[in-house]
Amino acid sequence: MFYESWLDYFNSLIIHNYFFPATAYTFLGFKIINDELNAVVAQEFIVASEPTDLAAVKDFLEFNHFRNNRNNDYINNKLGLIFEDLHE
């Protein structure tokens, strides 16, 4: 479980869609699996046209006041946001 509450999950979804509109998620509804409530989301399949330039990602995020704190994880203390495991 990555989130403490459904509110945390939906806030995360909204933030992702705001910062990464090209990879936005669409919330489709809920489904009960093994007696647990789960969110159902959809995301367009993304075909990479070129390898990810991690240096360009870092430049973009630093320009937007995020700092790289380890591997491909970034944090913006002022906004209180953490982007983790950024990849293609």
Side-chain angles (χ1 to χ4, degrees), residues 5-23:
S5 68
W6 281 106
L7 181 60
D8 286 346
Y9 171 75
F10 285 113
N11 281 334
S12 177
L13 203 64
I14 290 168
I15 290 166
H16 170 90
N17 290 352
Y18 177 80
F19 282 101
F20 306 105
T23 62

Side-chain angles (χ1 to χ4, degrees), residues 1 6 12 19 22 47 51-52 59 65 67 70 76 81 88:
M1 185 71 169
W6 281 106
S12 177
F19 282 101
V47 178
T52 301
D59 289 345
H65 311 287
R67 68 175 171 77
R70 65 184 165 117
N76 181 312
L81 295 176
E88 303 183 341

Side-chain angles (χ1 to χ4, degrees), residues 10-81:
F10 285 113
N11 281 334
S12 177
L13 203 64
I14 290 168
I15 290 166
H16 170 90
N17 290 352
Y18 177 80
F19 282 101
F20 306 105
T23 62
Y25 289 94
T26 301
F27 175 73
L28 301 176
F30 293 102
K31 181 173 178 104
I32 295 177
I33 303 171
N34 297 327
D35 294 324
E36 289 186 352
L37 185 64
N38 291 270
V40 179
V41 295
Q43 184 183 43
E44 291 290 324
F45 184 76
I46 300 160
V47 178
S49 59
E50 61 188 70
T52 301
D53 181 351
L54 293 176
V57 171
K58 184 176 183 176
D59 289 345
F60 173 78
L61 289 171
E62 287 179 347
F63 176 80
N64 286 285
H65 311 287
F66 285 83
R67 68 175 171 77
N68 181 247
N69 61 335
R70 65 184 165 117
N71 302 322
N72 293 314
D73 299 350
Y74 292 83
I75 188 167
N76 181 312
N77 290 326
K78 183 175 180 184
L79 295 176
L81 295 176

